[in-house]
Amino acid sequence: MEPTCCVPNAQGQDVTSCPVSGTRGKGVPLITLKALLTPPALARLEPEDAFRLCPDPTCDVVYFSPTQTYRSSDLKVPVLQKDQAPEVPVCYCFGHTRADLTQAAVSDTADALDASIRAHVQAGRCGCEVNNPQGSCCLGNVVTFLRTLGSREQV
């Protein structure tokens, strides 16, 4: 009988670090990949794999699994963590970009914008699992971005 500890088994294995950058990834639901991959990338998807998002902004890998990687060019939308452009969404569900949030901070309407997003979330209108490449709520990204803007203004 062959020992099972020495037999590689990629299927079902959960790789936690990006194979390119070595950065620890965050788990992403399969529905997120199905919603955001381009048709050619979706045609290669191995749905049995456990996928993670690589948060490293210097790495072009967005999603990885034990057997696959998907890069920014494989997605239908720009990824907040990978693309520093002002028009990239911070809130994917309601379309608020870095530029929108910056303008709200400058015009002192950031609190109202934050409250509006929270109200939508509480009303069950967000679809972050299919709109946000992270596969989770965008609200944390909004709060973090606004805090970053606030700390820049105080410097």
Side-chain angles (χ1 to χ4, degrees):
M1 182 169 163
E2 190 174 304
T4 58
C5 66
C6 302
V7 178
N9 179 13
Q11 191 169 2
Q13 181 182 6
D14 188 15
V15 174
T16 60
S17 296
C18 175
V20 174
S21 71
T23 305
R24 184 172 175 80
K26 177 187 175 278
V28 179
L30 182 61
I31 190 69
T32 305
L33 279 81
K34 288 180 177 182
L36 297 180
L37 290 176
T38 62
L42 184 59
R44 303 188 322 262
L45 181 69
E46 293 295 337
E48 307 82 32
D49 280 359
F51 286 90
R52 292 183 173 268
L53 175 112
C54 173
D56 183 341
T58 65
C59 180
D60 192 43
V61 171
V62 177
Y63 300 122
F64 62 91
S65 76
T67 63
Q68 294 184 286
T69 59
Y70 290 101
R71 298 182 180 276
S72 298
S73 60
D74 293 318
L75 274 73
K76 298 175 189 175
V77 297
V79 179
L80 177 67
Q81 293 81 357
K82 307 290 182 176
D83 187 336
Q84 298 304 309
E87 65 275 2
V88 171
V90 178
C91 174
Y92 286 82
C93 295
F94 304 109
H96 299 294
T97 65
R98 282 190 182 99
D100 297 334
L101 294 177
T102 301
Q103 181 56 42
V106 168
S107 64
D108 205 27
T109 58
D111 288 343
L113 182 68
D114 179 63
S116 170
I117 294 169
R118 287 178 190 276
H120 285 305
V121 170
Q122 287 180 342
R125 295 184 190 109
C126 77
C128 293
E129 66 279 0
V130 295
N131 293 315
N132 180 356
Q134 287 177 253
S136 60
C137 188
C138 303
L139 193 53
N141 294 337
V142 171
V143 170
T144 299
F145 187 79
L146 289 173
R147 278 190 193 139
T148 302
L149 290 175
S151 66
R152 285 184 195 161
E153 291 172 5
Q154 296 172 359
V155 173

